[in-house]
Amino acid sequence: MKQNAHRVVIVGGGAGGLELAARLGRQFGQKHIVLIDKADSHIWKPSLHEVAAGTLDIHREGLSYFMLARQCGFTFIHGALQGLDRDAKRVRLEAAHGPTGEEVFPSRSIDYDTLVLAIGSKSNFFGTPGAPEHAIALDSTAQAENFRERLLRELAKLNGKRESGKTASGELMPGAGAGDRRHAAEDPPPLLKPDDALHIAIVGGGATGVELAAELVEALNGFAYYGMGELEPGRDVKISLLEGADRILSALPENLSSKARQLLRQRGVMIETSVRVAGVESGCLMDSEGRRHAADLCVWAAGIEAPAILSELGLEANRHHQVVVDGRLQTSDPRVFALGDCAQAPWEGRDRPLPAKAQVASQQAAFLYDILQARVTGQAEPAGTFRFRDHGSLVSVGHSEGVGSLMGVLSGRNWFVEGLLARLMYMSLHLRHHMAVLGVLQTAALALGRLLLRRGAPRVKLH
């Protein structure tokens, strides 16, 4: 197949961007395919709630972009998008810095013939006072690790209080849950109030909020198992899920929402619907009715928007900074495409844009592959517009439970699945993403290796 000098630059190594780069790289090589990302390693974004809970170790699960570039045949450049010179067909990148702030790569400019924007989305605080300062978003591995480390510190302090409330013989001091039992020590430790628990508030009852709440329940049991012997998760940690709509998972079918609500409540998660958060402070949230909700740790999972830099590129963008594209995922500049969460793409047959889902980005990557292949080989581009095939939604509600709605490909009906079957199907989505990037054999070897490693590893990350 004859190739010209056409260079495709893909900015963003998320689900769609990485799958597109891997597939094109294996066919055309480093000279033609370049992937740019502000991080140096990749993780499937829907699994960030597991990183936050500590049930998934990013240092074992993350895939180095440099390694992926070598294996898949593309060029990887580490850096964040800073600007775009469309006349010169050049992308400007910020300098890349290491963990301690030292400059690793200077600011640079990268030339392209065709550019694909796939930089995903980030949390949308909707202008809520105090939210950026006091709430933790789960947009990146760094943020997820930040939450996990803060959770560990709070649990250690709480466990220490429980231990200090015991006598040398193991009897509990008054106020530490001991009822009428007494200790004759001359200088007893400070009393622990009955309501002195760690309050974790999750703002947003969508898939991320629901999955995080369920994962935290499992993680807390693991933390209690490994050394935090005085910690009783049901008593000492209160998890609340606050949703502005009248039900959680409001974008999904009602039966799925009801089942998820039932499973979370069985696990001790407090669910409050029709609650609109009006402000966030250290230790609490305020809603629009003036009520205060305890929140020693607050996670924001209430909405998304594209990075603001997209509104500064001279391309048409909406109020959420998403780049507006047509049915072929093309922007107002014919040399620039956009896919995934950072793009506002028309949904054929619907009066609203495509939803922000990993399966949308993956299908868009497959659609763009044919167009970009034609550009690199100098052939005529295929006709037609992107058509999204909705295969349904799956939500993890713990390691042994899940709920989901699957679209019947043959029958045209929706199928409701739950329990272990739904959980296994949810896990298969992650494996399918790995197969799209690494291939079947390497994905199988990687999955087997991780399964064996987990045999000798703790259930949760403790360090």
Side-chain angles (χ1 to χ4, degrees):
M1 185 178 294
K2 185 178 179 181
Q3 302 173 11
N4 57 28
H6 200 92
R7 192 184 203 200
V8 177
V9 174
I10 303 166
V11 183
L18 179 58
E19 289 180 16
L20 181 60
R23 191 174 176 188
L24 289 170
R26 283 192 286 266
Q27 182 169 358
F28 299 115
Q30 297 178 342
K31 178 181 176 182
H32 294 278
I33 310 302
V34 177
L35 177 67
I36 299 170
D37 198 274
K38 63 182 179 181
D40 59 6
S41 62
H42 168 78
I43 188 169
W44 197 51
K45 192 172 181 179
S47 63
L48 281 178
H49 69 280
E50 297 178 77
V51 177
T55 53
L56 185 149
D57 188 345
I58 179 57
H59 297 102
R60 290 183 176 179
E61 301 288 335
L63 299 173
S64 164
Y65 282 120
F66 291 103
M67 178 271 290
L68 293 171
R70 176 68 178 175
Q71 292 188 354
C72 299
F74 58 82
T75 296
F76 174 66
I77 298 177
H78 187 195
L81 179 65
Q82 185 181 51
L84 178 62
D85 186 339
R86 289 164 51 207
D87 292 332
K89 296 188 295 184
R90 189 169 295 149
V91 175
R92 297 193 304 274
L93 303 181
E94 298 176 358
H97 296 85
T100 58
E102 75 279 10
E103 185 175 283
V104 178
F105 300 107
S107 56
R108 291 147 293 166
S109 293
I110 309 298
D111 294 332
Y112 67 85
D113 293 296
T114 296
L115 176 66
V116 180
L117 299 172
I119 61 176
S121 60
K122 64 184 187 67
S123 293
N124 188 348
F125 293 115
F126 300 105
T128 305
E133 295 80 15
H134 301 292
I136 302 173
L138 298 182
D139 300 325
S140 66
T141 54
Q143 290 174 326
E145 278 284 277
N146 174 40
F147 174 81
R148 185 189 64 81
E149 291 170 0
R150 286 185 59 182
L151 175 62
L152 272 177
R153 289 195 296 269
E154 293 296 334
L155 290 176
K157 288 190 293 184
L158 187 59
N159 190 59
K161 288 180 181 180
R162 290 296 182 191
E163 288 182 337
S164 66
K166 294 183 67 175
T167 68
S169 62
E171 294 278 336
L172 286 171
M173 288 294 297
D180 292 330
R181 285 175 284 176
R182 296 290 187 270
H183 174 50
E186 295 181 2
D187 298 307
L191 299 182
L192 187 65
K193 297 178 181 179
D195 62 343
D196 193 356
L198 174 64
H199 292 266
I200 303 174
I202 303 171
V203 181
T208 299
V210 167
E211 291 178 341
L212 176 62
E215 204 71 24
L216 282 173
V217 173
E218 306 231 358
L220 290 169
N221 291 326
F223 288 130
Y225 179 81
Y226 293 110
M228 295 186 181
E230 303 309 316
L231 182 70
E232 294 183 16
R235 174 197 65 187
D236 297 331
V237 183
K238 308 297 183 184
I239 302 173
S240 57
L241 187 62
L242 309 179
E243 167 58 36
D246 60 356
R247 62 183 176 93
I248 61 173
L249 300 176
S250 59
L252 302 180
E254 191 168 352
N255 58 345
L256 193 154
S257 171
S258 298
K259 185 62 178 180
R261 183 186 186 96
Q262 175 188 343
L263 291 171
L264 289 178
R265 283 186 161 175
Q266 288 174 356
R267 288 160 171 76
V269 177
M270 295 174 285
I271 299 174
E272 296 188 59
T273 55
S274 301
V275 174
R276 300 189 180 277
V277 176
V280 185
E281 294 180 356
S282 178
C284 74
L285 306 172
M286 289 77 65
D287 65 26
S288 57
E289 302 296 324
R291 295 172 297 181
R292 299 170 71 87
H293 305 260
D296 300 303
L297 290 175
C298 175
V299 179
W300 194 273
I304 62 171
E305 64 179 355
I309 183 64
L310 293 175
S311 295
E312 303 170 9
L313 303 180
L315 302 168
E316 183 183 358
N318 64 19
R319 61 188 180 90
H320 297 298
H321 311 301
Q322 292 175 304
V323 177
V324 178
V325 297
D326 61 18
R328 291 175 59 79
L329 307 183
Q330 200 166 53
T331 70
S332 51
D333 184 335
R335 293 169 297 192
V336 181
F337 293 86
L339 64 82
D341 294 1
C342 74
Q344 178 188 298
W347 192 348
E348 189 174 278
R350 305 288 183 95
D351 58 357
R352 62 182 186 275
L354 284 165
K357 290 184 176 183
Q359 63 172 309
V360 172
S362 182
Q363 291 181 35
Q364 288 177 331
F367 173 82
L368 275 184
Y369 170 81
D370 293 331
I371 294 177
L372 299 179
Q373 180 189 47
R375 291 196 175 192
V376 175
T377 57
Q379 299 178 351
E381 296 180 19
T385 57
F386 174 71
R387 295 186 63 183
F388 172 54
R389 290 182 171 83
D390 192 349
H391 299 305
S393 300
L394 291 165
V395 179
S396 172
V397 194
H399 284 189
S400 61
E401 290 279 2
V403 293
S405 174
L406 304 179
M407 297 298 192
V409 177
L410 298 179
S411 67
R413 298 170 58 191
N414 291 355
W415 298 91
F416 177 74
V417 292
E418 60 178 304
L420 182 59
L421 174 61
R423 173 62 187 176
L424 291 174
M425 296 180 73
Y426 179 88
M427 292 169 61
S428 73
L429 298 178
H430 195 173
L431 291 176
R432 287 180 62 185
H433 170 62
H434 272 59
M435 285 190 287
V437 175
L438 298 173
V440 176
L441 292 179
Q442 191 167 352
T443 297
L446 189 64
L448 178 60
R450 287 174 175 172
L451 179 63
L452 295 175
L453 280 173
R454 287 183 178 180
R455 294 277 182 173
R459 303 172 193 168
V460 289
K461 187 177 180 183
L462 303 167
H463 59 283

